[in-house]
Amino acid sequence: MPVEITWWGHATCTVQDGNIRVLTDPLFARRLAHLRRRRGAVPPDRARRADVVLVSHLHADHLHVPSLAALAPGTRLLVPRGAPRAVPALRRLRGLRVTEVVPGDAVRVGEVLVRVVPALHDGRRLPVGPHRSPALGYVVEGEARTYFAGDTGLFDAMAERVGPVDVALLPVGGWGPFLGEGHLDAGRAARALARLAPRMAVPVHYGTYWPIGMEAVRPHEFHGPGDEFVRLAAVVAPQVVVRKLGHGESVRLEVAR
């Protein structure tokens, strides 16, 4: 049975593995503080259907409370340990089944196992608040093994901690003209791809949101990371199939086990 990946923009993806729908870092806003969605429509209602939702860290473009509030009652939600304490509004979403996790945890959701893996990123709820929660990645193991990196920098033990995967959803950019520490740009994402060696990769976390009034500031950082990742991946990891998706587009991986 094929595994289907749909990219809705930024870090929001649906992974359909067998009968289980997994949603990552849902962000359904047209505007978030100083950021405006510049490419792709706001995801449609069907994007909000999921059996389990994975939140990688507490930054507002990844843990977006209004988007989580739009999920169906009873949806399973995995968040970094300490998230409800650091983000009090999360505690008011009483219709969701919230589970706090840390690297090394594994959560069974129907036919899939969700493994929690580390990420190299600042997990605080910025701009204020102590560092109470880790940044996470996840590996969804079912018909395929799909790695959602969240936000992360490149770290030495990445391949070891993530393990063998079939699909890698890798961030290749950001939402502003400069990337800070703890991020992958197209070059570092290509190096991560060479280490992970999946069958397929999908670049995410670029070309969706941009600061209002800064359209003319380093526009290549908005438009270019996906194509740059494709180019560099072909050099350092030519055995990996890279699928650059448009917003709302899907790709299938045929799995024979």
Side-chain angles (χ1 to χ4, degrees):
M1 179 180 294
V3 170
E4 185 174 83
I5 310 294
T6 303
W7 182 49
W8 302 110
H10 203 54
T12 307
C13 301
T14 294
V15 179
Q16 179 79 48
D17 190 308
N19 295 318
I20 301 299
R21 285 175 64 89
V22 181
L23 179 64
T24 67
D25 285 352
L27 183 56
F28 303 138
R30 191 174 305 279
R31 178 174 174 176
L32 173 63
H34 65 299
L35 305 180
R36 180 174 62 220
R37 192 177 183 107
R38 290 193 57 214
R39 183 183 290 168
V42 173
D45 288 346
R46 69 178 185 276
R48 305 176 189 192
R49 293 188 287 107
D51 297 291
V52 61
V53 174
L54 312 179
V55 171
S56 63
H57 62 289
L58 304 192
H59 293 175
D61 57 323
H62 293 260
L63 194 167
H64 185 245
V65 174
S67 294
L68 296 177
L71 300 172
T75 301
R76 187 80 178 270
L77 178 63
L78 305 188
V79 300
R81 180 177 292 172
R85 178 182 298 175
V87 187
L90 188 59
R91 299 199 297 267
R92 295 195 286 271
L93 303 180
R94 300 189 183 279
L96 304 180
R97 296 185 294 145
V98 179
T99 301
E100 300 178 51
V101 294
V102 295
D105 287 348
V107 179
R108 173 67 62 179
V109 181
E111 302 153 6
V112 306
L113 182 71
V114 179
R115 289 195 298 109
V116 186
V117 299
L120 181 62
H121 192 68
D122 185 344
R124 291 176 296 171
R125 183 69 165 186
L126 300 177
V128 297
H131 192 164
R132 292 177 176 168
S133 294
L136 308 174
Y138 296 92
V139 179
V140 179
E141 297 186 349
E143 297 288 337
R145 295 162 298 195
T146 302
Y147 171 46
F148 169 62
D151 251 356
T152 187
L154 187 65
F155 55 97
D156 290 340
M158 177 179 278
E160 177 185 348
R161 298 299 301 271
V162 171
V165 292
D166 300 296
V167 185
L169 311 178
L170 293 178
V172 300
W175 50 253
F178 301 98
L179 281 176
E181 294 294 325
H183 291 87
L184 296 179
D185 60 10
R188 290 190 290 269
R191 289 164 56 197
L193 190 66
R195 297 183 186 185
L196 296 166
R199 291 173 54 194
M200 179 187 293
V202 176
V204 301
H205 202 270
Y206 77 101
T208 308
Y209 292 90
W210 204 248
I212 294 169
M214 297 189 68
E215 288 81 2
V217 179
R218 296 174 60 87
H220 62 283
E221 297 291 354
F222 179 83
H223 295 284
D227 289 333
E228 182 71 358
F229 174 70
V230 171
R231 184 184 71 81
L232 294 173
V235 175
V236 302
Q239 76 281 10
V240 180
V241 175
V242 178
R243 294 296 179 88
K244 185 172 78 75
L245 302 178
H247 292 75
E249 290 185 346
S250 303
V251 63
R252 289 187 173 189
L253 177 70
E254 297 291 337
V255 180
R257 292 198 182 277

